[in-house]
Amino acid sequence: MLNGLNWKPTLVSRDMRFRLGPPLALAGLFLVHTGTFAQSIGPLKTALDPILDASPMENAWWGAVVVDVESGDVLYNRNGGRSFVPASNTKLFTTAAALDLLGPDYRWVTNVYIDGNVVHGELQGNLIVRGSGDPSIGARYSNGDPTHVFRAWADSLRRAGVRVIRGDVIGDDDVFDDVPYGEAWSWDDEQFAYAAAINGLPFNDNVIDVTITARRTSEPGNVSWEPDRTDYVLIVNRTITTQLGTRLKEGYKRRRGTNIIELTSEVPQGRTDHESLSVHNPTGYFVHVLRQTLQREGIAVDGRAVDVDELSIRPQYSNPRYRRIASYQSPPLSVIAETVNTESQNLYAELLLRTLGVEMPLQNSGNRETGSAEAGLQVAQATYLAAGVDTSRLQLVDGSGLSRKNLVTPSMTAALLQYMASHEEAAVREAFIGSLAVGGQTGTLAWRFVNGPEVRAKTGSLGNISSLAGYVTSQSGASLVFVLMCNNYTVKQSVIRRAQDRVVTRVATWH
């Protein structure tokens, strides 16, 4: 039994990826994975087709594949070789490559430097934070205290005798490129947490967490936000308290290219409205809050909070003048991957993808920056090739799935899932499967499959797009991979999700 799924894995050597040749050569070796096999016939087709063909979903475009993990037998195939927009099922590709290539024990390290001498308690220079793309600095991994790491750095400075910083607090995000959003992301998503800007020095998921509490009817709500009501943002409170029992109407708007946030929610008496909203220039956010925290911790700062991009001369860390004074190490990748897949955390997925490009740069990367999405995707091809995916037909442009330019086939996803379930390294296998939401218990599946079959899976949702892919244990004890993708439907998403759940439940009862 492995993370609730029982199978005897068929091991695939990681060295295969360097011996199998170009993508087209793989097609002949992995026909089941490239979608060249025929549509299903037999018992599962008879059981599943009516579910996917049911009214009112006749105009929806369905792709589905079911594979036996141990034998590799394809038990069901419906448009398995056709391309679909996968939405957040893209995260399966991102986390699989990261765990496969970096290992589940990989950790990000963020270092803090000073570039001057400490004389009589005064740092006669700047404090510089060199980012590594670490997703974990903020509230999520510090018991709800977003500034936990910053306060630890203040302790390190005090131990070094620093009481005053005469220079600036500088944030260096140059580990990644300066492209803040994925290719073809929707511009009107930018203000929300799920589309937070990408950078090499993230903090608190690059969001502020806003709470609006109702007061008396017709009065503005009481607004607070974390971390520490930071003045990096300007909150414009246009909220209103409505009568008890009325409907909560949410309203938020961040003016594009600014940190001016207007709140227009209508909050009934006795209710609160919680929302996480993205910030503009998250590197500036990081050092702004760090500077505020240092001052609260008793370390005076004369200079400003500065994004490294504002400097004409970048820090030269090889120069003896630069001395490391503190650092922070993230939780292991296995923990971060679980957040990515269980909660469908988009920013973390994008940081994972870019980290691949930084940690495993390729000599033939051309003009791609190592910290770019393109570089990370090029590195990730090694995992996809080892899984038997025909990469000549795979189109990925981001790590999270927010882009509608991502195109994968159900059979590619099934191949990846089978490869990870049969991975020769037990730690990688367990970390990947353990990263997925558990039906009826955790994350995006907490309210699905309640009292249902034993499911670990990843959801995927965009407008008129819904995916579900993962593992289910059948009544006979077999471990099965399933992939369900639906594009271009016009019914409510709940209708599609119910159909997906019925399919998985039926697969689980199949002998």
Side-chain angles (χ1 to χ4, degrees):
M1 182 68 65
L2 176 60
N3 288 311
L5 293 166
N6 183 23
W7 65 70
K8 179 181 178 182
T10 303
L11 300 183
V12 179
S13 171
R14 299 178 70 187
D15 293 336
M16 286 177 64
R17 70 192 65 168
F18 303 111
R19 297 201 300 264
L20 288 174
L24 291 179
L26 293 171
L29 295 174
F30 295 90
L31 292 180
V32 66
H33 295 160
T34 58
T36 58
F37 48 87
Q39 298 287 78
S40 291
I41 57 174
L44 266 186
K45 176 178 173 58
T46 302
L48 303 185
D49 277 357
I51 299 175
L52 302 183
D53 290 332
S55 176
M57 300 183 298
E58 297 95 335
N59 64 329
W61 180 241
W62 280 100
V65 171
V66 179
V67 179
D68 184 287
V69 170
E70 183 173 356
S71 67
D73 291 341
V74 178
L75 307 179
Y76 181 75
N77 170 35
R78 178 187 177 112
N79 297 319
R82 301 292 185 178
S83 292
F84 289 77
V85 179
S88 283
N89 265 198
T90 304
K91 294 182 178 72
L92 294 170
F93 287 80
T94 305
T95 53
L99 290 166
D100 184 38
L101 299 172
L102 298 176
D105 294 328
Y106 174 86
R107 295 173 187 259
W108 289 261
V109 178
T110 303
N111 290 315
V112 183
Y113 295 84
I114 57 176
D115 66 357
N117 296 320
V118 179
V119 179
H120 303 304
E122 297 182 358
L123 169 57
Q124 297 174 343
N126 303 302
L127 186 75
I128 308 163
V129 183
R130 190 180 191 186
S132 62
D134 182 356
S136 70
I137 299 177
R140 189 185 297 268
Y141 295 107
S142 56
N143 296 320
D145 177 7
T147 61
H148 169 78
V149 172
F150 295 168
R151 291 188 294 103
W153 289 345
D155 289 341
S156 297
L157 288 168
R158 280 192 291 266
R159 286 194 296 270
V162 177
R163 296 296 182 271
V164 179
I165 299 172
R166 292 301 182 192
D168 297 326
V169 178
I170 300 170
D172 184 350
D173 59 2
D174 283 350
V175 65
F176 296 160
D177 65 14
D178 287 325
V179 180
Y181 301 106
E183 184 176 337
W185 284 15
S186 296
W187 67 269
D188 51 348
D189 287 339
E190 290 179 13
Q191 64 187 329
F192 296 106
Y194 61 81
I198 307 157
N199 71 322
L201 193 60
F203 168 65
N204 199 45
D205 298 357
N206 291 347
V207 301
I208 61 164
D209 299 298
V210 177
T211 300
I212 306 167
T213 304
R215 299 168 70 187
R216 288 185 295 186
T217 301
S218 300
E219 290 185 346
N222 183 50
V223 177
S224 62
W225 62 93
E226 292 291 338
D228 301 325
R229 294 179 66 92
T230 175
D231 60 4
Y232 189 70
V233 298
L234 173 63
I235 300 293
V236 180
N237 184 2
R238 304 190 191 282
T239 65
I240 191 73
T241 301
T242 57
Q243 292 182 348
L244 183 70
T246 56
R247 187 170 65 89
L248 171 66
K249 297 180 181 179
E250 299 176 303
Y252 325 98
K253 180 181 180 182
R254 176 168 62 78
R255 297 180 192 173
R256 204 167 191 204
T258 76
N259 282 307
I260 301 172
I261 299 174
E262 297 181 37
L263 306 177
T264 58
S265 293
E266 299 177 13
V267 186
Q269 281 189 324
R271 295 280 303 276
T272 56
D273 179 19
H274 300 282
E275 187 68 32
S276 295
L277 300 170
S278 69
V279 298
H280 174 66
N281 186 11
T283 299
Y285 177 45
F286 186 110
V287 289
H288 185 95
V289 177
L290 172 59
R291 183 179 182 275
Q292 289 180 319
T293 303
L294 293 175
Q295 291 178 317
R296 280 197 303 274
E297 293 293 312
I299 298 175
V301 182
D302 288 350
R304 304 170 301 143
V306 178
D307 185 330
V308 74
D309 293 338
E310 300 174 36
L311 304 180
S312 58
I313 301 176
R314 300 301 172 94
Q316 303 295 319
Y317 299 103
S318 59
N319 188 322
R321 175 182 174 85
Y322 291 80
R323 291 183 291 140
R324 189 176 70 176
I325 199 167
S327 65
Y328 169 75
Q329 188 178 73
S330 75
L333 173 56
S334 57
V335 173
I336 304 298
E338 182 175 0
T339 300
V340 172
N341 284 335
T342 297
E343 300 183 24
S344 204
Q345 221 291 348
N346 293 322
L347 175 63
Y348 292 15
E350 298 298 338
L351 299 175
L352 278 181
L353 181 63
R354 286 154 181 77
T355 298
L356 276 174
V358 171
E359 293 290 353
M360 306 187 70
L362 300 178
Q363 291 183 348
N364 61 341
S365 60
N367 295 323
R368 298 181 181 91
E369 293 189 52
T370 57
S372 66
E374 293 85 355
L377 287 166
Q378 188 178 28
V379 170
Q381 298 300 305
T383 296
Y384 309 150
L385 288 170
V389 171
D390 180 356
T391 56
S392 69
R393 300 171 57 211
L394 172 68
Q395 178 172 297
L396 296 176
V397 301
D398 70 11
S400 62
L402 278 176
S403 177
R404 292 175 181 267
K405 285 190 173 182
N406 294 315
L407 292 172
V408 307
T409 70
S411 59
M412 289 175 181
T413 308
L416 184 77
L417 289 169
Q418 187 177 10
Y419 171 70
M420 295 303 291
S422 305
H423 201 284
E424 66 176 357
E425 295 184 30
V428 172
R429 187 168 67 240
E430 292 171 4
F432 180 77
I433 297 168
S435 74
L436 302 177
V438 180
Q441 297 183 40
T442 61
T444 57
L445 291 184
W447 305 109
R448 299 173 67 175
F449 303 105
V450 176
N451 299 320
E454 194 174 356
V455 177
R456 279 191 179 269
K458 179 74 196 75
T459 56
S461 301
L462 286 173
N464 309 108
I465 294 167
S466 182
S467 300
L468 183 67
Y471 307 98
V472 64
T473 302
S474 73
Q475 284 186 344
S476 60
S479 295
L480 306 175
V481 165
F482 66 88
V483 180
L484 294 165
M485 294 182 176
C486 189
N487 286 188
N488 304 328
Y489 59 84
T490 53
V491 295
K492 291 182 178 180
Q493 189 178 69
S494 59
V495 174
I496 303 301
R497 288 181 173 177
R498 283 196 295 270
Q500 291 169 343
D501 294 356
R502 287 184 62 199
V503 167
V504 175
T505 301
R506 183 65 187 89
V507 167
T509 60
W510 183 78
H511 291 276

